Amino acid sequence: MEIRTRFAPSPTGYMHIGNLRTALYEYLIAKNEGGKFILRIEDTDQGRLVEGATDVIFETLKTTGLKHDEGPDVGGDYGPYIQSERMGTYMEYALQLVEKGAAYYCFCTKERLDSLKESANGESFAKYDRHCLSLTKEEIEENLKNGVPFVIRQKMPTEGTTSFDDVVYGTISVNNEELDDQILIKSDGFPTYNFANVVDDHLMNITHVVRGSEYLSSTPKYNLLYDAFGWTAPTYVHLPPVMKDQSHKLSKRNGDASFQDLVAKGYLPEAIMNYIALLGWSPSDNTEIFTLEELTEKFNVSGLSKSPSIFDIQKLTWMNGEYIKNMEFDRYYSFVEPKINEVLGDLPYDRKVIATLLQKRIETFNDVKEQIDFLAALPEYSTELYFHKKMKSTVETSVVSLKAALPVLEAITEWNNDNLYGTLSALAAEMGIKNGQMLWPIRTALSGKSASPGGASELAEILGKEETIRRINKGISMLEA
């Protein structure tokens, strides 16, 4: 049997991390077995639709490398792949259930339903009271003839239990008396998610359904629908939530970062995907860095955990830094050059030299500004920066070193890192001081910061002779004052 999974997002905004993890696992489950990964747009909740959100879904899958085999934009044998374009299908199958006695028309008004929401003691009313289940055939036909608005509800069993097996959570059983007669077709003719996903999954031959654990309680209702139709239920893989902390779920409603937010903050798509793959799944060999191809090869549902995972931005940041360090330079440069240009504008500094210094030092591309802003303009800084216990550098030793370095630097004709470093090291030896006592004050004078992406000679090479000497003179003036 060919494995067929589906990613079925609602176009309601940016791609939430939990949704993207679901898409990734669905992709990996299918591709690990040589199966098909399908994209289906579930837009039946018309009130929540966001303009342009469907394009965000397409773009996200493209950016992350989760190439779908079938979908609205690529076609396939089981379309349409947008639920609002399958409207006739849902009513047809709902009426089949009515004929089978597994569903029924409900003509209750909003006012009547609202009156049921509060019991005598003020507690919320949990279940529909099945008022319309007792309507006669003649009453139903009369209401339909007169155009009385209706919904179609699923008729739940009231005794016994409904059970299903889940790959992650094992066997789940629910007492049928706890199940509400859920709505299948709404009064506007649109299906509910709970009904449409069952019909579509069957018609599209979906073999594995992957979704959040919040749907565990609804799954018995879905299986009762499969049973009513005489269909085979899919394999269920319910995933524990991704948490913001020990007590709160990661949620776009609470303003937590989406995939697009993280990319905008300078994270690489492949690093994000690598990280979220480990939010609920553990490889057998404890490897942490994977390409998508390696994930596809190694992924196995046996590695899925039923425990919630906490989204650790620091761990993602570390992982992103590892990806940046190991990127092929030309691709890395295509990301970092625009960031460098934002800071430096038209300044004639060698971008590739700067990029090379940054590659081993930044963890996200948004770190670039903080790392190199001193190249555009020397910040105001305190002479306390010249003090460095390990380098044995003080204000007094620093002014001596800077004054000694100034004429030597002015005399250099071959202005490059190697020559600068060699000349300054030789000067330190001649003065009988350690390299650090010479290079630390120069680096401080050139950057005005406690940390910089390079040492004294590297920064001097970038800044050029004139600017280097200007900044050293400024440092001497500050120290003497």
Side-chain angles (χ1 to χ4, degrees):
M1 180 180 65
E2 180 182 64
I3 302 297
R4 289 175 60 84
T5 63
R6 50 65 168 173
F7 180 47
S10 298
T12 56
Y14 289 126
M15 185 71 74
H16 175 47
I17 290 299
N19 287 348
L20 188 55
R21 184 189 64 165
T22 298
L24 174 60
Y25 286 175
E26 288 168 331
Y27 176 89
L28 295 175
I29 288 171
K31 295 306 175 181
N32 180 261
E33 297 287 341
K36 297 286 178 61
F37 172 61
I38 292 93
L39 172 63
R40 186 173 74 222
I41 303 298
E42 298 198 341
D43 61 345
T44 55
D45 191 346
Q46 296 285 294
R48 294 180 61 226
L49 302 186
V50 174
E51 186 177 354
T54 299
D55 292 333
V56 170
I57 294 168
F58 292 147
E59 186 60 30
T60 301
L61 294 181
K62 179 181 178 182
T63 301
T64 57
L66 302 183
K67 183 178 180 181
H68 47 286
D69 301 287
E70 302 170 24
D73 53 338
V74 298
D77 296 333
Y78 299 90
Y81 293 91
I82 298 178
Q83 282 188 337
S84 60
E85 297 176 7
R86 301 169 62 86
M87 287 296 293
T89 302
Y90 307 119
M91 182 61 80
E92 173 190 342
Y93 280 98
L95 294 178
Q96 285 185 27
L97 292 178
V98 173
E99 289 294 317
K100 292 172 180 284
Y104 59 95
Y105 290 100
C106 175
F107 300 94
C108 288
T109 63
K110 181 178 183 299
E111 290 72 23
R112 182 177 188 280
L113 294 175
D114 286 343
S115 71
L116 296 176
K117 289 180 180 180
E118 295 295 329
S119 60
N121 60 6
E123 294 180 356
S124 294
F125 188 83
K127 292 176 63 178
Y128 174 61
D129 65 355
R130 290 190 156 185
H131 171 77
C132 289
L133 184 58
S134 61
L135 293 178
T136 65
K137 182 178 180 180
E138 290 73 23
E139 288 174 317
I140 293 171
E141 289 177 349
E142 183 69 17
N143 283 338
L144 294 175
K145 179 181 176 181
N146 293 330
V148 178
F150 67 88
V151 300
I152 295 180
R153 290 181 180 271
Q154 182 180 0
K155 182 184 175 183
M156 298 295 182
T158 56
E159 299 178 348
T161 61
T162 298
S163 302
F164 69 96
D165 291 323
D166 182 75
V167 168
V168 177
Y169 290 88
T171 301
I172 304 292
S173 297
V174 175
N175 291 326
N176 290 331
E177 64 181 3
E178 298 175 6
L179 301 177
D180 187 21
D181 286 2
Q182 66 175 346
I183 294 173
L184 305 180
I185 300 292
K186 296 178 287 187
S187 59
D188 60 4
F190 276 80
T192 59
Y193 165 82
N194 290 329
F195 185 53
N197 86 87
V198 169
V199 173
D200 287 341
D201 286 345
H202 171 73
L203 295 180
M204 293 182 181
N205 287 342
I206 301 303
T207 62
H208 291 66
V209 169
V210 184
R211 58 184 170 221
S213 59
E214 65 269 24
Y215 290 102
L216 278 169
S217 61
S218 299
T219 301
K221 301 178 184 179
Y222 305 149
N223 273 13
L224 288 169
L225 287 173
Y226 280 103
D227 291 344
F229 283 119
W231 297 340
T232 300
T235 298
Y236 292 111
V237 184
H238 285 87
L239 305 174
V242 180
M243 306 292 287
K244 183 175 186 176
D245 52 41
Q246 293 288 351
S247 305
H248 303 90
K249 287 184 181 180
L250 201 67
S251 169
K252 62 183 178 183
R253 292 183 182 180
N254 296 331
D256 294 321
S258 67
F259 171 75
Q260 285 72 23
D261 292 331
L262 291 172
V263 171
K265 290 178 180 179
Y267 293 89
L268 285 161
E270 56 264 43
I272 299 171
M273 298 302 286
N274 187 157
Y275 178 66
I276 67 173
L278 302 176
L279 291 175
W281 174 76
S282 299
S284 57
D285 59 2
N286 295 318
T287 303
E288 289 193 298
I289 305 295
F290 292 97
T291 64
L292 184 58
E293 291 73 20
E294 289 167 340
L295 279 171
T296 301
E297 181 181 342
K298 293 196 173 188
F299 188 83
N300 191 297
V301 291
S302 64
L304 292 173
S305 169
K306 64 177 65 174
S307 300
S309 301
I310 294 178
F311 185 86
D312 184 348
I313 192 67
Q314 292 181 334
K315 182 65 177 288
L316 171 59
T317 302
W318 166 81
M319 185 172 285
N320 197 71
E322 293 301 301
Y323 268 83
I324 290 175
K325 288 181 180 72
N326 292 289
M327 287 179 77
E328 187 271 329
F329 183 80
D330 286 346
R331 179 165 181 261
Y332 157 75
Y333 189 65
S334 70
F335 282 94
V336 81
E337 183 189 23
K339 300 289 186 181
I340 295 173
N341 288 335
E342 284 179 20
V343 178
L344 300 185
D346 296 330
L347 290 171
Y349 298 151
D350 191 321
R351 270 53 172 170
K352 289 196 172 181
V353 172
I354 297 170
T356 301
L357 288 179
L358 289 172
Q359 188 165 9
K360 302 298 182 183
R361 292 173 170 87
I362 60 173
E363 292 185 306
T364 76
F365 292 111
N366 284 12
D367 294 342
V368 170
K369 181 178 181 180
E370 183 180 355
Q371 288 279 337
I372 68 167
D373 55 2
F374 70 92
L375 294 175
L378 185 66
E380 294 296 324
Y381 67 95
S382 168
T383 54
E384 291 179 3
L385 288 181
Y386 285 96
F387 176 81
H388 195 297
K389 186 175 181 180
K390 185 177 178 181
M391 300 288 187
K392 296 184 178 180
S393 178
T394 65
V395 169
E396 291 76 20
T397 62
S398 293
V399 73
V400 171
S401 294
L402 291 181
K403 284 185 171 182
L406 195 58
V408 173
L409 292 172
E410 288 175 334
I412 291 178
T413 55
E414 294 185 29
W415 195 267
N416 59 66
N417 177 43
D418 290 341
N419 195 34
L420 287 163
Y421 183 81
T423 301
L424 292 171
S425 296
L427 177 60
E430 182 182 324
M431 294 173 64
I433 62 175
K434 293 185 176 181
N435 273 3
Q437 288 177 287
M438 175 60 65
L439 299 175
W440 178 262
I442 295 175
R443 192 211 62 79
T444 302
L446 298 185
S447 68
K449 302 180 77 168
S450 59
S452 61
S457 57
E458 292 169 312
L459 301 186
E461 179 184 34
I462 294 169
L463 289 166
K465 187 173 183 177
E466 182 180 345
E467 181 64 12
T468 294
I469 291 171
R470 187 188 74 79
R471 294 190 180 196
I472 289 176
N473 274 317
K474 179 179 175 63
I476 292 171
S477 298
M478 288 177 63
L479 290 169
E480 288 186 329

